[in-house]
Amino acid sequence: MTSEGMRGQLFVMLGASGVGKGTLREQLLAQIPMFYSVSMTTREQRPGEIDGVHYHFRTRAEFENELEQGAGFLEHAEFVGNLYGTPRAPVEVALNRGENVMLEIEVLGAIQVAQNSPHAILMFIAPPSLSELERRLRGRATESEERIQKRLLRATEEIRAARQFRYIVVNDTLEQGLLDLVAIVQAEGLKSERWSGDALEGILRS
Ligand code: ADP
Ligand code: 5GP
């Protein structure tokens, strides 16, 4: 029972491509509903991906035009040859409605969010090992060999950067990874700073 009319909390899941962010996020949001921010990207659509659901797919010219003239991005970054970014407006609208928001992004974008939104809660998802990360990336079968190698190289840099974020969750088993994320989201929602004096007075009045 926190106070009415309070702004939502901004959660960010970040970590290497293939580590299991998408899988964990789906399960987390099934347990704890929040607004999921759909990113914009210039990457080509994979089979099964739906425009507007998994990503807003754009050409590079369209994305660059958005960067120059559009409503703005909370963050954006180049990742292995493609642009990715978080449209600002839907996130702000959800936060102002009091809804919690989840972003799922890579490290350079997360650093921008940390700088621009000091209250954002950043959760770095680490693999149990680099060899397991490689196995998962290959198992997903979405990338060419060249792109797997580029993503693994990027992963090494990302894991070295992990300690600057608030939390590190190792996605070894999905069960434990999910338990850890649920614990973080719940604890962050219980922080005393989320309470107003009025809400506490409400306890005294009832
Ligand atoms: P990301 O969104 O970080 O790129 P995905 O969620 O697409 O990663 O997961 C990459 C692959 O790894 C998928 O095939 C997924 O089923 C698998 N995976 C995710 N988490 C685990 C886990 N804890 N153990 C084994 N496989 C996993
Ligand atoms: P993929 O091509 O595998 O969908 O995503 C590649 C990487 O880009 C992943 O680490 C993914 O989390 C990240 N990503 C997805 N959307 C965004 C975004 O809006 N901004 C940033 N900075 N990274 C993103």
Side-chain angles (χ1 to χ4, degrees):
M1 187 182 66
T2 50
S3 59
E4 295 280 313
M6 184 163 271
R7 218 169 124 83
Q9 290 177 293
L10 179 58
F11 290 92
V12 182
M13 282 176 64
L14 69 147
S17 170
V19 73
K21 298 185 297 296
T23 310
L24 280 168
R25 184 250 310 159
E26 268 183 32
Q27 298 195 12
L28 177 66
L29 269 52
Q31 272 189 45
I32 306 180
M34 57 177 105
F35 178 85
Y36 174 62
S37 158
V38 179
S39 296
M40 196 173 283
T41 185
T42 63
R43 166 168 77 57
E44 74 284 2
Q45 212 164 332
R46 291 177 189 146
E49 283 184 331
I50 300 164
D51 189 23
V53 174
H54 297 93
Y55 280 107
H56 300 291
F57 293 98
R58 296 285 186 274
T59 63
R60 183 168 277 264
E62 287 167 343
F63 197 119
E64 283 171 349
N65 193 40
E66 286 279 344
L67 278 177
E68 282 166 24
Q69 326 201 352
F73 289 85
L74 209 57
E75 59 74 34
H76 69 277
E78 177 113 20
F79 180 88
V80 190
N82 284 299
L83 292 168
Y84 294 79
T86 303
R88 182 188 299 278
V91 171
E92 287 299 329
V93 168
L95 290 174
N96 287 334
R97 270 199 308 257
E99 264 184 84
N100 289 346
V101 171
M102 177 66 74
L103 311 184
E104 190 194 307
I105 63 179
E106 53 67 68
V107 167
L108 295 178
I111 292 170
Q112 295 167 42
V113 175
Q115 283 165 352
N116 299 332
S117 311
H119 294 294
I121 300 143
L122 289 101
M123 307 178 288
F124 185 91
I125 314 298
S129 64
L130 207 56
S131 54
E132 172 60 14
L133 178 66
E134 181 168 0
R135 201 189 63 76
R136 287 182 197 171
L137 255 183
R138 288 186 193 289
R140 196 171 66 183
T142 54
E143 313 299 324
S144 65
E145 181 58 31
E146 187 201 352
R147 283 170 55 158
I148 286 176
Q149 292 306 331
K150 283 189 177 155
R151 282 175 180 237
L152 284 172
L153 197 62
R154 182 76 174 245
T156 309
E157 296 163 14
E158 294 191 326
I159 291 164
R160 291 209 168 104
R163 283 198 316 140
Q164 68 191 287
F165 304 109
R166 190 175 303 177
Y167 295 101
I168 298 180
V169 170
V170 178
N171 181 22
D172 188 350
T173 68
L174 265 179
E175 293 73 17
Q176 188 59 49
L178 185 60
L179 280 173
D180 290 347
L181 289 174
V182 168
I184 292 168
V185 172
Q186 287 180 336
E188 287 287 341
L190 295 173
K191 289 227 158 125
S192 59
E193 69 201 27
R194 306 276 308 150
W195 285 74
S196 68
D198 278 357
L200 291 170
E201 285 301 321
I203 290 180
L204 295 174
R205 279 196 298 273
S206 56

